[in-house]
Amino acid sequence: MATKHILIVPGDGIGQEVTTEGKRVLEKIASVFGHTFSFDEALVGHAAIEATGDPLPAETLDKMKKSDAILFGAVGHPKYDNDPSAKVRPEQGLLRMRKELGLYANLRPIKLFDELLSASSIKPEILKGADILFFRELTGDIYFGEKGRKNNGDTAFDIAEYSRYEVERIGRKAFEAARTRSKRLCSVDKANVIETSRLWREVIQKLALEYPDVTVDHQFVDATAMLLIKDPRRFDVVVTANLFGDILTDEASQIAGSMGMLASASIGDGPGVYEPIHGSAHDITGKGIANPLASILSAALLLDISFGLKAESNAVIKAVEALLKEGFRSADIADANTPADKILNTAAIGEEVLKRIGK
Ligand code: NAD
């Protein structure tokens, strides 16, 4: 029996709507499995700017640091999308949160539910059974090194840097995850050309000696980009640097078909942050039709990764699978064959998940 404190940070737009359902699922898990979860809520993004002038108020950060895990919604508002020069912006809240909480690994499970095979642009026979867990490094690489211009601005440079320590700490997380899955790890780099990649490979090879039960495959990023589409089932746990991970995880998200289904986790040494990969979706905000399953699957990740509650996490995933099997869909994942009475709104999808937990 676990006693944990969870901070709910809904943010903006549909972030509010979907996070409500994620929280309801966590409450249901606590009651079915006999855990004690306490909840608090905090502002971020546009909602926080409106209330305090700051996209990540000190009070929010303080609550985050005191929590055991954070269920996050999304940030963003059309006001800023149309005004790139705005000095205070919702996404600053997101970036500062990552930095302040020292979140160095972004985990993205890419799992296609069989019932949604037709929603992907890749052939069903190639996709069926694909189940990949990406580990993208978040704090190093070309994003954070020295950058600038020379030759009167006609030449630009961005320095990519990685330390042994940075590669090792995410490498360990990936090896440990591989141990709990199929014991296969694919490390992606460009060690034939890039020096940071040569260090990356050296560190992963050394770590591999500590995990003799895990089979490691080193792959070049260009080959990985091709193989992800050609044969996604060959991958299980994948670990890679910040830039390669940025590109490969977006490519891989298409394997799962819809944005409304994909969850992610950002972890560091403190509380983990669990959030859908989608944004605040202004086009559907307030209509009650947002798909809450990415937030609900983020709650499942939270249970597994931050609390080690594997059975509870699986109970959530099984409930989602069951409702999809019975034909229930939110509008974004419905197709021409979905009967009108099976297309449910946000709260009703949440309700269907709750009904199936503990059965
Ligand atoms: P988006 O992910 O919000 O929406 C893209 C499309 O997918 C939209 O048509 C939307 O209706 C649909 N969609 C997304 N989630 C859905 C769901 N759960 N159910 C049903 N349909 C869903 O991306 P965008 O439109 O490019 O950006 C909107 C805002 O979100 C912007 O302000 C952007 O800056 C912000 N954003 C935030 C994050 C984040 O908080 N992590 C990520 C991406 C974008």
Side-chain angles (χ1 to χ4, degrees):
M1 192 183 133
T3 301
K4 299 284 182 192
H5 181 61
I6 302 167
L7 185 67
I8 308 289
V9 187
D12 304 320
I14 65 163
Q16 301 270 351
E17 301 163 38
V18 298
T19 312
T20 300
E21 303 311 317
K23 180 185 176 199
R24 288 211 294 161
V25 163
L26 290 168
E27 286 169 336
K28 175 83 185 212
I29 286 288
S31 89
V32 169
F33 288 83
H35 302 302
T36 306
F37 294 163
S38 60
F39 295 91
D40 196 358
E41 201 161 303
L43 293 172
V44 74
H46 171 68
I49 298 173
E50 291 288 288
T52 69
D54 182 349
L56 184 69
E59 190 190 342
T60 297
L61 192 56
D62 187 49
K63 285 183 177 183
M64 284 175 164
K65 288 183 175 165
K66 288 182 178 145
S67 69
D68 292 311
I70 298 159
L71 187 69
F72 194 91
V75 295
H77 190 274
K79 184 170 145 185
Y80 309 91
D81 296 344
N82 302 328
D83 178 11
S85 66
K87 290 266 178 302
V88 181
R89 311 181 60 81
E91 58 271 25
Q92 289 165 347
L94 197 65
L95 297 178
R96 252 176 52 215
M97 172 184 78
R98 288 179 182 156
K99 196 165 168 6
E100 292 279 351
L101 298 181
L103 302 170
Y104 61 80
N106 182 245
L107 277 70
R108 224 184 248 195
I110 308 281
K111 180 174 157 54
L112 179 64
F113 291 95
D114 282 354
E115 293 69 28
L116 300 179
L117 273 172
S118 63
S120 174
S121 45
I122 303 172
K123 286 187 201 133
E125 62 270 28
I126 293 198
L127 273 185
K128 197 168 163 38
D131 184 354
I132 310 172
L133 178 59
F134 267 95
F135 280 77
R136 169 191 169 194
E137 205 289 328
L138 274 187
T139 62
D141 212 345
I142 200 161
Y143 296 90
F144 296 102
E146 192 191 338
K147 47 187 83 238
R149 296 277 181 114
K150 53 188 184 183
N151 298 336
N152 296 325
D154 290 339
T155 305
F157 61 91
D158 299 274
I159 309 261
E161 258 184 16
Y162 263 117
S163 69
R164 202 172 279 282
Y165 165 72
E166 285 172 320
V167 182
E168 202 179 301
R169 68 180 176 178
I170 188 162
R172 267 186 206 291
K173 293 277 182 203
F175 271 104
E176 271 151 30
R179 265 193 169 156
T180 69
R181 293 172 50 111
S182 72
K183 299 189 168 46
R184 286 184 296 123
L185 175 65
C186 175
S187 173
V188 178
D189 61 36
K190 186 78 182 162
N192 50 343
V193 187
I194 297 174
E195 196 56 36
T196 44
S197 276
R198 282 195 267 272
L199 175 71
W200 182 279
R201 193 173 284 216
E202 190 184 310
V203 173
I204 300 289
Q205 276 170 339
K206 198 157 164 229
L207 267 183
L209 302 175
E210 293 179 38
Y211 298 88
D213 49 328
V214 176
T215 308
V216 186
D217 173 27
H218 297 272
Q219 220 170 59
F220 295 137
V221 62
D222 38 352
T224 309
M226 180 267 292
L227 289 167
L228 264 178
I229 299 299
K230 185 170 178 241
D231 183 16
R233 277 173 302 202
R234 69 186 287 139
F235 295 98
D236 191 58
V237 180
V238 179
V239 63
T240 191
N242 205 346
L243 176 64
F244 299 154
D246 193 357
I247 299 165
L248 291 177
T249 53
D250 263 27
E251 181 191 352
S253 75
Q254 283 314 296
I255 293 173
S258 165
M259 299 274 282
M261 298 296 300
L262 282 175
S264 78
S266 297
I267 56 171
D269 298 320
V273 177
Y274 300 83
E275 59 181 312
I277 70 154
H278 63 71
S280 47
H282 323 304
D283 51 340
I284 57 166
T285 296
K287 296 186 179 162
I289 57 168
N291 181 351
L293 292 177
S295 180
I296 288 170
L297 292 168
S298 299
L301 269 184
L302 181 157
L303 292 165
D304 180 3
I305 298 172
S306 275
F307 299 169
L309 300 174
K310 198 115 199 140
E312 289 79 343
S313 176
N314 281 337
V316 177
I317 296 168
K318 289 271 166 283
V320 171
E321 261 165 13
L323 80 92
L324 293 173
K325 211 164 256 151
E326 287 163 50
F328 293 108
R329 301 281 186 273
S330 50
D332 59 311
I333 51 172
D335 62 22
N337 301 320
T338 312
D341 64 334
K342 294 271 185 178
I343 303 180
L344 304 183
N345 65 27
T346 310
I349 290 273
E351 204 56 49
E352 292 301 326
V353 175
L354 296 183
K355 273 191 218 162
R356 289 167 179 77
I357 291 176
K359 282 208 170 153

PDB file of all heavy atoms in Angstrom, residues 14 18 72-77 81 94 259-260 275 277-284 289-291 332, ligand 1:
ATOM      1  N   ILE A  14      -7.266  22.212 -23.888  1.00  0.00           N
ATOM      2  CA  ILE A  14      -7.768  20.871 -23.539  1.00  0.00           C
ATOM      3  C   ILE A  14      -6.951  20.218 -22.433  1.00  0.00           C
ATOM      4  O   ILE A  14      -7.336  19.172 -21.909  1.00  0.00           O
ATOM      5  CB  ILE A  14      -7.867  19.907 -24.756  1.00  0.00           C
ATOM      6  CG1 ILE A  14      -6.484  19.606 -25.342  1.00  0.00           C
ATOM      7  CG2 ILE A  14      -8.844  20.417 -25.803  1.00  0.00           C
ATOM      8  CD1 ILE A  14      -6.481  18.382 -26.244  1.00  0.00           C
ATOM      9  N   VAL A  18      -8.556  17.091 -20.352  1.00  0.00           N
ATOM     10  CA  VAL A  18      -8.047  15.712 -20.343  1.00  0.00           C
ATOM     11  C   VAL A  18      -7.431  15.342 -18.991  1.00  0.00           C
ATOM     12  O   VAL A  18      -7.513  14.182 -18.555  1.00  0.00           O
ATOM     13  CB  VAL A  18      -7.037  15.445 -21.495  1.00  0.00           C
ATOM     14  CG1 VAL A  18      -7.705  15.641 -22.845  1.00  0.00           C
ATOM     15  CG2 VAL A  18      -5.780  16.305 -21.396  1.00  0.00           C
ATOM     16  N   PHE A  72       0.707  16.374 -15.853  1.00  0.00           N
ATOM     17  CA  PHE A  72       0.731  17.670 -16.540  1.00  0.00           C
ATOM     18  C   PHE A  72      -0.207  17.613 -17.748  1.00  0.00           C
ATOM     19  O   PHE A  72      -0.353  16.569 -18.383  1.00  0.00           O
ATOM     20  CB  PHE A  72       2.182  17.892 -17.003  1.00  0.00           C
ATOM     21  CG  PHE A  72       2.523  19.282 -17.450  1.00  0.00           C
ATOM     22  CD1 PHE A  72       3.009  20.222 -16.553  1.00  0.00           C
ATOM     23  CD2 PHE A  72       2.383  19.652 -18.774  1.00  0.00           C
ATOM     24  CE1 PHE A  72       3.350  21.502 -16.961  1.00  0.00           C
ATOM     25  CE2 PHE A  72       2.716  20.931 -19.200  1.00  0.00           C
ATOM     26  CZ  PHE A  72       3.196  21.857 -18.293  1.00  0.00           C
ATOM     27  N   GLY A  73      -0.838  18.756 -18.079  1.00  0.00           N
ATOM     28  CA  GLY A  73      -1.731  18.797 -19.245  1.00  0.00           C
ATOM     29  C   GLY A  73      -0.991  19.298 -20.475  1.00  0.00           C
ATOM     30  O   GLY A  73      -0.233  18.565 -21.110  1.00  0.00           O
ATOM     31  N   ALA A  74      -1.174  20.565 -20.811  1.00  0.00           N
ATOM     32  CA  ALA A  74      -0.490  21.164 -21.963  1.00  0.00           C
ATOM     33  C   ALA A  74      -0.479  22.669 -21.761  1.00  0.00           C
ATOM     34  O   ALA A  74      -1.293  23.197 -21.004  1.00  0.00           O
ATOM     35  CB  ALA A  74      -1.241  20.824 -23.245  1.00  0.00           C
ATOM     36  N   VAL A  75       0.451  23.339 -22.439  1.00  0.00           N
ATOM     37  CA  VAL A  75       0.442  24.805 -22.367  1.00  0.00           C
ATOM     38  C   VAL A  75       0.338  25.383 -23.774  1.00  0.00           C
ATOM     39  O   VAL A  75       0.750  24.760 -24.746  1.00  0.00           O
ATOM     40  CB  VAL A  75       1.707  25.376 -21.677  1.00  0.00           C
ATOM     41  CG1 VAL A  75       1.772  24.966 -20.220  1.00  0.00           C
ATOM     42  CG2 VAL A  75       2.975  24.952 -22.416  1.00  0.00           C
ATOM     43  N   GLY A  76      -0.235  26.573 -23.869  1.00  0.00           N
ATOM     44  CA  GLY A  76      -0.326  27.255 -25.162  1.00  0.00           C
ATOM     45  C   GLY A  76      -1.629  27.994 -25.324  1.00  0.00           C
ATOM     46  O   GLY A  76      -2.650  27.594 -24.744  1.00  0.00           O
ATOM     47  N   HIS A  77      -1.561  29.089 -26.081  1.00  0.00           N
ATOM     48  CA  HIS A  77      -2.759  29.897 -26.320  1.00  0.00           C
ATOM     49  C   HIS A  77      -2.564  30.603 -27.664  1.00  0.00           C
ATOM     50  O   HIS A  77      -1.450  31.046 -27.960  1.00  0.00           O
ATOM     51  CB  HIS A  77      -2.923  30.905 -25.179  1.00  0.00           C
ATOM     52  CG  HIS A  77      -4.233  31.600 -25.199  1.00  0.00           C
ATOM     53  ND1 HIS A  77      -4.453  32.742 -25.939  1.00  0.00           N
ATOM     54  CD2 HIS A  77      -5.405  31.311 -24.593  1.00  0.00           C
ATOM     55  CE1 HIS A  77      -5.702  33.121 -25.770  1.00  0.00           C
ATOM     56  NE2 HIS A  77      -6.309  32.272 -24.965  1.00  0.00           N
ATOM     57  N   ASP A  81       0.741  32.238 -30.203  1.00  0.00           N
ATOM     58  CA  ASP A  81       1.113  31.613 -31.479  1.00  0.00           C
ATOM     59  C   ASP A  81       1.135  32.670 -32.587  1.00  0.00           C
ATOM     60  O   ASP A  81       1.931  32.606 -33.521  1.00  0.00           O
ATOM     61  CB  ASP A  81       0.117  30.499 -31.842  1.00  0.00           C
ATOM     62  CG  ASP A  81       0.166  29.366 -30.820  1.00  0.00           C
ATOM     63  OD1 ASP A  81       1.145  29.305 -30.057  1.00  0.00           O
ATOM     64  OD2 ASP A  81      -0.786  28.563 -30.779  1.00  0.00           O
ATOM     65  N   LEU A  94       7.134  25.600 -19.416  1.00  0.00           N
ATOM     66  CA  LEU A  94       7.492  24.199 -19.657  1.00  0.00           C
ATOM     67  C   LEU A  94       9.014  24.012 -19.602  1.00  0.00           C
ATOM     68  O   LEU A  94       9.536  23.110 -18.941  1.00  0.00           O
ATOM     69  CB  LEU A  94       6.959  23.839 -21.050  1.00  0.00           C
ATOM     70  CG  LEU A  94       6.823  22.410 -21.454  1.00  0.00           C
ATOM     71  CD1 LEU A  94       5.787  21.728 -20.586  1.00  0.00           C
ATOM     72  CD2 LEU A  94       6.391  22.326 -22.924  1.00  0.00           C
ATOM     73  N   MET A 259      -2.485  11.591 -32.206  1.00  0.00           N
ATOM     74  CA  MET A 259      -1.878  12.407 -31.142  1.00  0.00           C
ATOM     75  C   MET A 259      -2.587  12.200 -29.806  1.00  0.00           C
ATOM     76  O   MET A 259      -1.992  12.298 -28.749  1.00  0.00           O
ATOM     77  CB  MET A 259      -2.057  13.896 -31.472  1.00  0.00           C
ATOM     78  CG  MET A 259      -1.415  14.349 -32.725  1.00  0.00           C
ATOM     79  SD  MET A 259       0.273  14.765 -32.385  1.00  0.00           S
ATOM     80  CE  MET A 259       0.054  16.367 -31.643  1.00  0.00           C
ATOM     81  N   GLY A 260      -3.882  11.955 -29.873  1.00  0.00           N
ATOM     82  CA  GLY A 260      -4.689  11.859 -28.657  1.00  0.00           C
ATOM     83  C   GLY A 260      -4.428  10.595 -27.852  1.00  0.00           C
ATOM     84  O   GLY A 260      -5.020  10.394 -26.791  1.00  0.00           O
ATOM     85  N   GLU A 275       2.840  13.509 -19.115  1.00  0.00           N
ATOM     86  CA  GLU A 275       1.966  14.374 -19.924  1.00  0.00           C
ATOM     87  C   GLU A 275       1.704  13.774 -21.296  1.00  0.00           C
ATOM     88  O   GLU A 275       2.519  13.022 -21.830  1.00  0.00           O
ATOM     89  CB  GLU A 275       2.609  15.754 -20.095  1.00  0.00           C
ATOM     90  CG  GLU A 275       3.965  15.679 -20.757  1.00  0.00           C
ATOM     91  CD  GLU A 275       4.648  17.041 -20.923  1.00  0.00           C
ATOM     92  OE1 GLU A 275       4.000  17.974 -21.405  1.00  0.00           O
ATOM     93  OE2 GLU A 275       5.846  17.133 -20.612  1.00  0.00           O
ATOM     94  N   ILE A 277       1.561  13.833 -25.369  1.00  0.00           N
ATOM     95  CA  ILE A 277       2.494  14.531 -26.274  1.00  0.00           C
ATOM     96  C   ILE A 277       1.788  15.666 -27.017  1.00  0.00           C
ATOM     97  O   ILE A 277       2.425  16.528 -27.592  1.00  0.00           O
ATOM     98  CB  ILE A 277       3.199  13.587 -27.282  1.00  0.00           C
ATOM     99  CG1 ILE A 277       2.219  13.072 -28.338  1.00  0.00           C
ATOM    100  CG2 ILE A 277       3.904  12.447 -26.601  1.00  0.00           C
ATOM    101  CD1 ILE A 277       2.937  12.703 -29.629  1.00  0.00           C
ATOM    102  N   HIS A 278       0.441  15.670 -26.985  1.00  0.00           N
ATOM    103  CA  HIS A 278      -0.265  16.726 -27.731  1.00  0.00           C
ATOM    104  C   HIS A 278      -0.236  18.053 -26.978  1.00  0.00           C
ATOM    105  O   HIS A 278       0.126  18.122 -25.804  1.00  0.00           O
ATOM    106  CB  HIS A 278      -1.697  16.296 -28.050  1.00  0.00           C
ATOM    107  CG  HIS A 278      -2.572  16.071 -26.846  1.00  0.00           C
ATOM    108  ND1 HIS A 278      -3.029  17.095 -26.056  1.00  0.00           N
ATOM    109  CD2 HIS A 278      -3.086  14.933 -26.315  1.00  0.00           C
ATOM    110  CE1 HIS A 278      -3.786  16.600 -25.090  1.00  0.00           C
ATOM    111  NE2 HIS A 278      -3.832  15.282 -25.212  1.00  0.00           N
ATOM    112  N   GLY A 279      -0.640  19.122 -27.681  1.00  0.00           N
ATOM    113  CA  GLY A 279      -0.664  20.453 -27.094  1.00  0.00           C
ATOM    114  C   GLY A 279      -2.044  20.824 -26.575  1.00  0.00           C
ATOM    115  O   GLY A 279      -2.865  19.940 -26.271  1.00  0.00           O
ATOM    116  N   SER A 280      -2.307  22.135 -26.506  1.00  0.00           N
ATOM    117  CA  SER A 280      -3.544  22.607 -25.881  1.00  0.00           C
ATOM    118  C   SER A 280      -4.725  22.630 -26.848  1.00  0.00           C
ATOM    119  O   SER A 280      -5.850  22.937 -26.436  1.00  0.00           O
ATOM    120  CB  SER A 280      -3.315  23.975 -25.250  1.00  0.00           C
ATOM    121  OG  SER A 280      -2.640  24.812 -26.167  1.00  0.00           O
ATOM    122  N   ALA A 281      -4.484  22.328 -28.132  1.00  0.00           N
ATOM    123  CA  ALA A 281      -5.551  22.121 -29.137  1.00  0.00           C
ATOM    124  C   ALA A 281      -6.682  23.151 -29.047  1.00  0.00           C
ATOM    125  O   ALA A 281      -7.824  22.807 -28.733  1.00  0.00           O
ATOM    126  CB  ALA A 281      -6.097  20.694 -29.035  1.00  0.00           C
ATOM    127  N   HIS A 282      -6.358  24.399 -29.394  1.00  0.00           N
ATOM    128  CA  HIS A 282      -7.379  25.467 -29.295  1.00  0.00           C
ATOM    129  C   HIS A 282      -8.595  25.185 -30.159  1.00  0.00           C
ATOM    130  O   HIS A 282      -9.690  25.613 -29.845  1.00  0.00           O
ATOM    131  CB  HIS A 282      -6.814  26.814 -29.749  1.00  0.00           C
ATOM    132  CG  HIS A 282      -5.399  27.026 -29.366  1.00  0.00           C
ATOM    133  ND1 HIS A 282      -4.990  26.949 -28.057  1.00  0.00           N
ATOM    134  CD2 HIS A 282      -4.292  27.296 -30.097  1.00  0.00           C
ATOM    135  CE1 HIS A 282      -3.693  27.178 -28.014  1.00  0.00           C
ATOM    136  NE2 HIS A 282      -3.244  27.365 -29.229  1.00  0.00           N
ATOM    137  N   ASP A 283      -8.350  24.465 -31.278  1.00  0.00           N
ATOM    138  CA  ASP A 283      -9.468  24.256 -32.211  1.00  0.00           C
ATOM    139  C   ASP A 283     -10.610  23.450 -31.602  1.00  0.00           C
ATOM    140  O   ASP A 283     -11.742  23.541 -32.056  1.00  0.00           O
ATOM    141  CB  ASP A 283      -8.962  23.590 -33.520  1.00  0.00           C
ATOM    142  CG  ASP A 283      -8.120  22.336 -33.280  1.00  0.00           C
ATOM    143  OD1 ASP A 283      -7.594  22.165 -32.154  1.00  0.00           O
ATOM    144  OD2 ASP A 283      -7.985  21.533 -34.219  1.00  0.00           O
ATOM    145  N   ILE A 284     -10.327  22.657 -30.557  1.00  0.00           N
ATOM    146  CA  ILE A 284     -11.414  21.853 -29.968  1.00  0.00           C
ATOM    147  C   ILE A 284     -11.644  22.169 -28.484  1.00  0.00           C
ATOM    148  O   ILE A 284     -12.463  21.526 -27.830  1.00  0.00           O
ATOM    149  CB  ILE A 284     -11.166  20.331 -30.156  1.00  0.00           C
ATOM    150  CG1 ILE A 284      -9.812  19.923 -29.548  1.00  0.00           C
ATOM    151  CG2 ILE A 284     -11.244  19.934 -31.612  1.00  0.00           C
ATOM    152  CD1 ILE A 284      -9.680  18.402 -29.409  1.00  0.00           C
ATOM    153  N   ILE A 289     -14.807  17.347 -26.548  1.00  0.00           N
ATOM    154  CA  ILE A 289     -14.595  16.193 -27.433  1.00  0.00           C
ATOM    155  C   ILE A 289     -13.146  15.713 -27.442  1.00  0.00           C
ATOM    156  O   ILE A 289     -12.797  14.777 -28.155  1.00  0.00           O
ATOM    157  CB  ILE A 289     -15.021  16.498 -28.888  1.00  0.00           C
ATOM    158  CG1 ILE A 289     -14.255  17.730 -29.420  1.00  0.00           C
ATOM    159  CG2 ILE A 289     -16.530  16.726 -28.972  1.00  0.00           C
ATOM    160  CD1 ILE A 289     -14.406  17.925 -30.927  1.00  0.00           C
ATOM    161  N   ALA A 290     -12.272  16.360 -26.657  1.00  0.00           N
ATOM    162  CA  ALA A 290     -10.860  15.953 -26.649  1.00  0.00           C
ATOM    163  C   ALA A 290     -10.741  14.502 -26.186  1.00  0.00           C
ATOM    164  O   ALA A 290     -11.474  14.051 -25.298  1.00  0.00           O
ATOM    165  CB  ALA A 290     -10.067  16.857 -25.723  1.00  0.00           C
ATOM    166  N   ASN A 291      -9.805  13.792 -26.778  1.00  0.00           N
ATOM    167  CA  ASN A 291      -9.534  12.413 -26.387  1.00  0.00           C
ATOM    168  C   ASN A 291      -8.699  12.439 -25.091  1.00  0.00           C
ATOM    169  O   ASN A 291      -7.582  12.947 -25.101  1.00  0.00           O
ATOM    170  CB  ASN A 291      -8.755  11.739 -27.527  1.00  0.00           C
ATOM    171  CG  ASN A 291      -8.445  10.289 -27.249  1.00  0.00           C
ATOM    172  OD1 ASN A 291      -8.665   9.807 -26.147  1.00  0.00           O
ATOM    173  ND2 ASN A 291      -7.934   9.605 -28.258  1.00  0.00           N
ATOM    174  N   ASP A 332     -11.632  11.833 -32.561  1.00  0.00           N
ATOM    175  CA  ASP A 332     -10.372  11.833 -33.324  1.00  0.00           C
ATOM    176  C   ASP A 332      -9.931  10.450 -33.774  1.00  0.00           C
ATOM    177  O   ASP A 332      -9.163  10.327 -34.721  1.00  0.00           O
ATOM    178  CB  ASP A 332      -9.256  12.486 -32.480  1.00  0.00           C
ATOM    179  CG  ASP A 332      -9.038  11.741 -31.167  1.00  0.00           C
ATOM    180  OD1 ASP A 332     -10.028  11.464 -30.463  1.00  0.00           O
ATOM    181  OD2 ASP A 332      -7.877  11.417 -30.848  1.00  0.00           O
TER     182      ASP A 332
HETATM  183  P1  NAD B   1      -1.942  20.233 -30.744  1.00  0.00           P
HETATM  184  O1  NAD B   1      -1.279  18.986 -30.332  1.00  0.00           O
HETATM  185  O2  NAD B   1      -2.538  21.063 -29.681  1.00  0.00           O
HETATM  186  O3  NAD B   1      -3.081  19.913 -31.829  1.00  0.00           O
HETATM  187  C1  NAD B   1      -2.804  19.354 -33.130  1.00  0.00           C
HETATM  188  C2  NAD B   1      -4.090  18.753 -33.718  1.00  0.00           C
HETATM  189  O4  NAD B   1      -4.396  17.534 -33.028  1.00  0.00           O
HETATM  190  C3  NAD B   1      -5.313  19.649 -33.533  1.00  0.00           C
HETATM  191  O5  NAD B   1      -6.156  19.539 -34.662  1.00  0.00           O
HETATM  192  C4  NAD B   1      -6.009  19.097 -32.316  1.00  0.00           C
HETATM  193  O6  NAD B   1      -7.406  19.307 -32.293  1.00  0.00           O
HETATM  194  C5  NAD B   1      -5.674  17.608 -32.408  1.00  0.00           C
HETATM  195  N1  NAD B   1      -5.554  17.021 -31.064  1.00  0.00           N
HETATM  196  C6  NAD B   1      -4.508  17.171 -30.206  1.00  0.00           C
HETATM  197  N2  NAD B   1      -4.762  16.528 -29.064  1.00  0.00           N
HETATM  198  C7  NAD B   1      -5.976  15.964 -29.196  1.00  0.00           C
HETATM  199  C8  NAD B   1      -6.797  15.184 -28.340  1.00  0.00           C
HETATM  200  N3  NAD B   1      -6.413  14.835 -27.096  1.00  0.00           N
HETATM  201  N4  NAD B   1      -8.012  14.787 -28.791  1.00  0.00           N
HETATM  202  C9  NAD B   1      -8.424  15.097 -30.019  1.00  0.00           C
HETATM  203  N5  NAD B   1      -7.696  15.833 -30.892  1.00  0.00           N
HETATM  204  C10 NAD B   1      -6.490  16.273 -30.474  1.00  0.00           C
HETATM  205  O7  NAD B   1      -0.837  21.098 -31.540  1.00  0.00           O
HETATM  206  P2  NAD B   1      -0.948  22.552 -32.179  1.00  0.00           P
HETATM  207  O8  NAD B   1      -2.323  22.795 -32.708  1.00  0.00           O
HETATM  208  O9  NAD B   1       0.218  22.657 -33.070  1.00  0.00           O
HETATM  209  O10 NAD B   1      -0.691  23.540 -30.968  1.00  0.00           O
HETATM  210  C11 NAD B   1      -1.718  24.113 -30.165  1.00  0.00           C
HETATM  211  C12 NAD B   1      -1.047  24.798 -28.969  1.00  0.00           C
HETATM  212  O11 NAD B   1      -0.435  23.822 -28.136  1.00  0.00           O
HETATM  213  C13 NAD B   1       0.037  25.793 -29.340  1.00  0.00           C
HETATM  214  O12 NAD B   1      -0.109  26.946 -28.531  1.00  0.00           O
HETATM  215  C14 NAD B   1       1.322  25.063 -29.050  1.00  0.00           C
HETATM  216  O13 NAD B   1       2.365  25.941 -28.696  1.00  0.00           O
HETATM  217  C15 NAD B   1       0.916  24.210 -27.872  1.00  0.00           C
HETATM  218  N6  NAD B   1       1.697  22.961 -27.673  1.00  0.00           N
HETATM  219  C16 NAD B   1       1.971  22.623 -26.401  1.00  0.00           C
HETATM  220  C17 NAD B   1       2.624  21.424 -26.143  1.00  0.00           C
HETATM  221  C18 NAD B   1       2.872  21.059 -24.701  1.00  0.00           C
HETATM  222  O14 NAD B   1       2.309  21.662 -23.825  1.00  0.00           O
HETATM  223  N7  NAD B   1       3.690  20.061 -24.435  1.00  0.00           N
HETATM  224  C19 NAD B   1       2.971  20.562 -27.187  1.00  0.00           C
HETATM  225  C20 NAD B   1       2.642  20.923 -28.498  1.00  0.00           C
HETATM  226  C21 NAD B   1       1.987  22.135 -28.740  1.00  0.00           C
END
